[in-house]
């Protein structure tokens, strides 16, 4: 029996494993980096061991430290979660050599699937259809586009699409750097890239007694940077193509049986609209998107992992599929600006209609698996995923509408996220028709899909609510004389002005007067303010419905939530500090990170969009490009330098800025 489990991971997946352990009466041990000292997963564990340092290479990729932590805390088993060391055969072997139980597949199976190059050869020999590997040195123009992939990992790290031969060498070098940073292995390979494939995967579960389940398939076609964003079970494509599910399950079982697999794993395929499919890779671990399979089978996959690791047999019959489940990954990132990751404090995260966390729902509802809580700080060292929000319902349409509604009404204060994009995807006609492929964002326009949920007019109305709530807060905070509010007068008041800045629509100036008959807002004739307190405002437009706005302030950040949609603005000061102005043509750091490469020297003439430097943050590389053609007049950083968000990295002067 397993009595105590150390999770060699962080955030959401650590909390997910701990939740099942608690339900089974099993003790829990967390490990944490210095950056994660206040993470919820640390507080929830029975014991926690510090891993000194911040970066993955210093902490979560140090297998010897993790094994020492397990022994120090009295854990008798290690669960690797996903990412980091979860598919590292040497780590799995070290766990077993230390006398601990490894909650994962056999070491040999990890080794065989750990190299995507060798695994494809094995799958081909086993009768599983594959896409041929390409030698980068032999790629020709006729083979383009090709996909560069990291042999040792997944999650989009080390993946690049190459459409021009002159880019191949640089992209391979960049992919190797990312793979080394994320997985400790720089090996990459190439394969033919299918622009509009469907990403279909099969969850397998196998015990030590010879039983292999193909539990169900998932579709994960909607991706950004080759990383999944929306996942669902069952697959709309598989539902539509006769006999495809049986063929997929047969191929997945062949793959698992070929390597003597045990535990939970995922066999991933790339399919076309006709239902033909090709083996991509096998992930020898639990997947991020496992909750949709749990919801559509009623299984707790982590529980099964623990039972299989303890030597128990799976039931002879696997459960039947039920209903439909959709999962979205809520990221701290800006899709409208090349998916730039965000860092900072999450002041509030509240998903309405949530009926369970880290647990299988028996009835229609919303499940939340998250690694953050109110007040959590999102740093630059790890993936920017905040939460997985999962819906479950009888039908796909119900699941999509339920999830879209919950996301739109969610209170997510503090950081820019991909929430608006997720809602627009879930409500898109093509998505609802099941017409999803890996080119979804390119086909339907990322600029359209990432646009704010609220219209310009609704945003303006929300900002009015922010101004009135702030005014109410000011009056409540400053009382004078015989209890009269500050600013009280018996003569007509002059218009008050409050200004706010929106990331998407510029500056909002709100002018209003408090009269004997109520509040009058310029530009909003006939608007009736029913109630205005520091935290909520109720207003009625002419011939319109009464609407309630909830307002939260965090310094100069103001978040307004209503049925119209979420709005976030910044309160502008009445007087601007001249020293805070930034010169035209300045390239600002969009996030904290480390400078890993320079693309130009001071004095060089550059073109619009030309990379000036590269930043590494959140395990990904990010290009900082020239905003316009001109001359690079300043370069304020060097390779290896750490920079903070908003720092002026460089200045490009053009004719207009001179």
């Amino acid at each position: 029996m397993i009595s105590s489990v150390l999770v060699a991971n962080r955030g959401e997946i650590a909390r997910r494993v701990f939740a099942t352990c608690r339900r089974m009466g099993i003790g829990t041990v967390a490990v944490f980096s210095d950056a994660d000292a206040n993470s919820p997963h640390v507080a929830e564990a029975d014991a926690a061991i510090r891993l000194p340092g911040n970066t993955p290479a210093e902490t979560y990729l140090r297998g010897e430290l993790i094994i020492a932590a397990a022994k120090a805390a009295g854990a008798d088993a290690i669960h690797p979660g996903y990412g980091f060391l979860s598919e590292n055969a040497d780590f799995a072997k070290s766990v077993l050599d230390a006398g601990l139980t490894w909650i994962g597949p056999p070491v040999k199976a990890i080794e065989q699937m750990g190299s995507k190059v060798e695994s494809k050869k094995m799958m081909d020999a086993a009768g599983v259809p594959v896409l041929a590997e390409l030698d980068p040195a032999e790629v020709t123009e006729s083979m383009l586009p090709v996909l560069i992939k990291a042999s040792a990992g997944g999650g989009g790290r080390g993946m690049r699409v190459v459409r021009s031969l002159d880019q191949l060498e640089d992209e391979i070098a960049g992919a190797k750097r990312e793979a080394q940073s994320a997985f400790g292995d720089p090996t990459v390979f190439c394969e033919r890239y299918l622009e509009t494939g469907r990403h279909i995967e099969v969850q397998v579960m196998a015990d030590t007694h010879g039983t292999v389940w193909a539990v169900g398939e998932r579709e994960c076609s909607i991706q950004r940077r080759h990383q999944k964003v929306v996942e669902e079970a069952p697959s709309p494509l598989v539902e539509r193509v006769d006999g495809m599910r049986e063929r997929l399950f047969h191929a997945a079982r062949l793959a698992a049986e070929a390597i003597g697999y045990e535990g939970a794993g995922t066999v991933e395929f790339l399919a076309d609209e006709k239902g033909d499919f090709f083996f991509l890779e096998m992930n020898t671990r639990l997947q991020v998107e496992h909750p949709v399979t749990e919801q559509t089978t009623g299984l707790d996959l982590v529980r099964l992992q623990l039972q299989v690791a303890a030597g128990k047999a799976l039931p002879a019959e696997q459960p039947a599929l039920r209903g439909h489940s959709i999962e979205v990954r809520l990221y701290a990132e800006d899709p409208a600006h090349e998916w730039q990751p965000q860092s900072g404090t999450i002041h509030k995260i509240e998903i309405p209609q949530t009926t369970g966390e880290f647990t299988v729902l028996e009835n229609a509802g919303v499940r939340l698996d998250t690694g953050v809580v109110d007040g959590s700080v999102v740093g630059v060292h790890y993936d920017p995923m905040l939460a997985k929000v999962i819906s479950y319902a009888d039908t796909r349409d119900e699941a999509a509408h339920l999830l879209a509604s919950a996301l739109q009404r969610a209170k997510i204060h503090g950081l820019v996220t991909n929430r608006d994009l997720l809602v627009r995807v879930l409500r898109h006609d093509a998505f609802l028709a099941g017409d999803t492929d890996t080119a979804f964002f390119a086909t339907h326009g990322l600029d359209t899909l990432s646009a704010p949920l609220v219209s310009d007019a609704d945003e303006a109305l929300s900002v009015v609510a922010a101004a009135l709530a702030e005014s109410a807060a000011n009056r409540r905070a400053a009382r004078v004389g015989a209890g009269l509010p500050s600013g009280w007068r018996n003569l007509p008041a002059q218009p008050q002005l409050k200004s706010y800045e929106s990331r998407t629509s510029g500056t909002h100036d709100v002018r209003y007067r408090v009269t004997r008959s109520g509040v009058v807002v310029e530009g909003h004739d006939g608007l009736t303010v029913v109630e205005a307190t520091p935290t909520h405002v109720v207003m009625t437009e002419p011939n319109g419905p009464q609407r309630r706005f909830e307002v939260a302030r965090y310094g100069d950040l103001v978040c307004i939530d209503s049925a119209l949609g979420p709005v976030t603005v910044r309160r502008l000061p009445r007087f601007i500090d001249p020293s805070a102005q930034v010169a035209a043509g300045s390239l600002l750091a969009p996030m904290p990170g480390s400078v890993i490469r320079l693309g130009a020297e001071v004095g060089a003439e550059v073109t619009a969009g030309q990379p000036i430097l590269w930043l590494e943050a959140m395990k990904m590389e990010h290009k900082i490009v020239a905003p316009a053609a001109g001359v690079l007049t300043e370069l304020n950083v060097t390779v290896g330098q750490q920079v903070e968000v908003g720092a002026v990295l460089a200045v490009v002067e053009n004719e207009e800025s001179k």
Side-chain angles (χ1 to χ4, degrees):
M1 294 294 294
I2 295 172
S3 62
S4 179
V5 172
L6 179 145
V7 178
N9 220 293
R10 62 179 297 278
E12 169 265 327
I13 184 56
R15 298 185 74 197
R16 167 68 190 91
V17 176
F18 291 164
T20 288
C21 287
R22 286 194 296 270
R23 289 191 287 265
M24 296 177 69
I26 295 173
T28 57
V29 179
V31 288
F32 64 95
S33 67
D34 291 337
D36 279 338
N38 296 316
S39 174
H41 84 274
V42 178
E44 290 177 358
D46 296 330
I49 304 291
R50 174 179 174 246
L51 304 176
N54 290 308
T55 68
E58 296 172 305
T59 56
Y60 299 108
L61 289 175
R62 294 282 300 276
E64 75 281 8
L65 296 183
I66 291 170
I67 291 171
K71 291 186 171 181
D76 54 4
I78 291 181
H79 191 299
Y82 45 69
F84 296 133
L85 294 172
S86 62
E87 295 178 280
N88 187 304
D90 290 338
F91 176 60
K93 184 176 185 301
S94 296
V95 170
L96 295 171
D97 289 346
L100 303 171
T101 297
W102 168 248
I103 304 172
V107 173
K108 185 177 180 181
I110 301 175
E111 290 174 339
Q112 291 171 319
M113 292 293 104
S115 168
K116 293 181 174 61
V117 176
E118 295 304 316
S119 66
K120 284 196 171 188
K121 295 176 182 177
M122 288 191 62
M123 294 299 100
D124 191 21
V128 180
V130 301
L131 281 172
E133 178 203 349
L134 303 174
D135 183 342
E138 298 178 0
V139 172
T140 65
E141 197 75 36
S142 63
M143 297 176 181
L144 298 176
V146 297
L147 180 66
I148 304 169
K149 299 179 73 173
S151 181
R157 271 78 186 190
M159 260 192 193
R160 309 289 179 90
V161 176
V162 179
R163 294 184 169 85
S164 173
L165 278 182
D166 60 3
Q167 298 175 352
L168 184 62
E169 185 176 346
D170 281 349
E171 294 293 355
I172 286 176
K176 286 182 175 181
R177 287 193 301 269
E178 263 184 13
Q180 175 66 43
S181 175
F183 313 114
D185 183 347
T187 307
V188 299
F189 68 99
C190 293
E191 66 185 18
R192 183 164 59 98
Y193 179 60
L194 301 183
E195 297 275 10
T196 57
R198 306 279 289 244
H199 190 116
I200 312 294
E201 59 190 34
V202 179
Q203 176 73 57
V204 295
M205 179 66 70
D207 62 20
T208 58
H209 305 278
T211 299
V212 179
W213 283 358
V215 183
E217 89 281 348
R218 301 184 284 257
E219 179 154 350
C220 314
S221 297
I222 298 181
Q223 304 178 5
R224 62 98 165 103
R225 290 183 170 178
H226 313 292
Q227 191 171 48
K228 303 158 189 173
V229 177
V230 181
E231 301 118 336
E232 59 181 308
S235 158
L237 176 66
V238 175
E239 292 274 272
R240 186 168 70 239
V241 178
D242 288 342
M244 185 177 178
R245 179 168 289 123
E246 289 73 18
R247 290 187 290 115
L248 270 173
F249 285 8
H250 177 65
R253 290 192 191 97
L254 283 178
E257 291 167 355
I259 59 173
Y261 200 78
E262 297 168 6
T266 301
V267 187
E268 301 198 354
F269 300 94
L270 191 64
D272 60 25
E273 293 296 330
K274 297 181 296 182
D276 294 330
F277 54 85
F278 305 93
F279 173 83
L280 286 176
E281 62 188 19
M282 184 173 184
N283 293 132
T284 53
R285 54 174 168 80
L286 200 64
Q287 292 276 87
V288 177
E289 58 272 24
H290 75 274
V292 296
T293 296
E294 292 186 323
Q295 287 304 139
T296 51
T297 60
L299 296 171
D300 181 334
L301 294 178
V302 174
R303 181 185 184 91
L304 290 178
Q305 282 187 298
L306 294 167
Q307 290 176 335
V308 167
K312 295 184 178 180
L314 292 170
E317 296 294 327
Q318 64 185 71
L321 298 180
R322 59 176 203 175
H324 200 97
S325 182
I326 304 174
E327 171 183 298
V328 295
R329 302 189 191 188
L330 182 66
Y331 283 104
E333 66 182 11
D334 187 353
H337 292 86
E338 298 185 353
W339 309 97
Q340 288 178 356
Q342 310 290 302
S343 61
T345 302
I346 289 288
H347 299 296
K348 189 177 189 63
I349 180 167
E350 180 182 300
I351 311 295
Q353 299 161 272
T354 297
T355 50
E357 295 186 20
F358 303 109
T359 189
V360 179
L361 307 180
E362 294 303 323
N363 299 304
V366 173
R367 166 177 164 175
L368 180 64
D369 286 17
T370 180
V372 299
V373 294
D374 293 356
S376 290
V377 175
V378 178
V380 299
H381 301 291
Y382 314 113
D383 187 279
M385 187 175 75
L386 303 178
K388 302 180 313 195
V389 189
I390 308 108
S391 64
Y392 172 65
D394 290 338
T395 68
R396 185 172 184 270
D397 277 354
E398 288 179 80
H401 290 308
L402 177 60
L403 187 52
S405 174
L407 286 168
Q408 176 163 340
R409 295 173 182 275
K411 295 178 182 177
I412 307 168
H413 300 168
L415 292 178
V416 176
T417 73
N418 64 338
R419 180 253 299 275
D420 292 7
L421 172 89
L422 297 174
V423 174
R424 288 193 179 279
V425 168
L426 292 167
R427 289 175 173 165
H428 199 282
D429 290 343
F431 178 82
L432 294 174
D435 185 14
T436 59
D437 58 37
T438 53
F440 190 90
F441 291 137
T443 300
H444 300 291
L446 183 58
D447 54 343
T448 300
L449 291 170
S450 61
L453 290 174
V454 296
S455 66
D456 289 346
D458 289 341
E459 179 178 271
L461 189 63
S462 297
V463 175
V464 168
L468 297 179
E470 182 182 351
S471 176
N474 292 341
R475 291 195 303 273
R476 179 173 294 182
R479 306 189 73 83
V480 296
L484 295 175
S486 175
W488 182 89
R489 65 188 66 196
N490 61 359
L491 297 174
Q494 295 300 307
Q496 300 293 308
L497 171 65
K498 288 182 171 57
S499 298
Y500 301 86
E501 185 176 46
S502 164
R503 294 178 59 258
T504 56
S505 58
T507 301
H508 290 270
D509 291 328
V510 181
R511 291 180 172 85
Y512 63 94
R513 289 187 300 115
V514 180
T515 70
R516 288 184 174 87
S517 57
V519 177
V520 176
V521 182
E522 292 185 8
H524 294 268
D525 294 342
L527 181 69
T528 301
V529 180
V530 179
E531 183 181 6
T533 77
T535 58
H536 72 270
V537 173
V538 180
M539 298 184 293
T540 303
E541 292 186 280
N543 302 316
Q546 180 172 292
R547 295 191 182 280
R548 179 185 179 90
F549 300 82
E550 297 190 26
V551 182
R553 289 175 297 279
Y554 310 93
D556 64 350
L557 184 71
V558 185
C559 302
I560 311 106
D561 295 291
S562 73
L564 296 174
V567 172
T568 298
V569 293
R570 287 197 175 275
R571 175 75 159 92
L572 294 176
R574 293 181 63 187
F575 305 104
I576 305 297
D577 180 357
S579 66
Q581 300 300 295
V582 176
S586 296
L587 280 66
L588 306 183
M591 70 210 78
S594 175
V595 179
I596 60 172
R597 185 181 171 195
L598 300 178
E601 297 179 348
V602 173
E605 292 188 1
V606 297
T607 58
Q610 178 179 333
I612 303 300
L613 57 93
W614 283 258
L615 284 180
E616 182 180 54
M618 296 180 176
K619 299 194 290 186
M620 300 286 280
E621 290 186 8
H622 308 275
K623 293 179 184 178
I624 308 299
V625 303
V631 176
L632 182 62
T633 58
E634 290 184 31
L635 188 59
N636 304 322
V637 294
T638 58
V639 173
Q641 182 177 336
Q642 293 287 328
V643 298
E644 295 300 320
V645 63
V648 179
L649 306 174
V651 177
V652 175
E653 285 194 8
N654 56 26
E655 290 300 323
E656 295 181 359
S657 62
K658 289 182 180 179

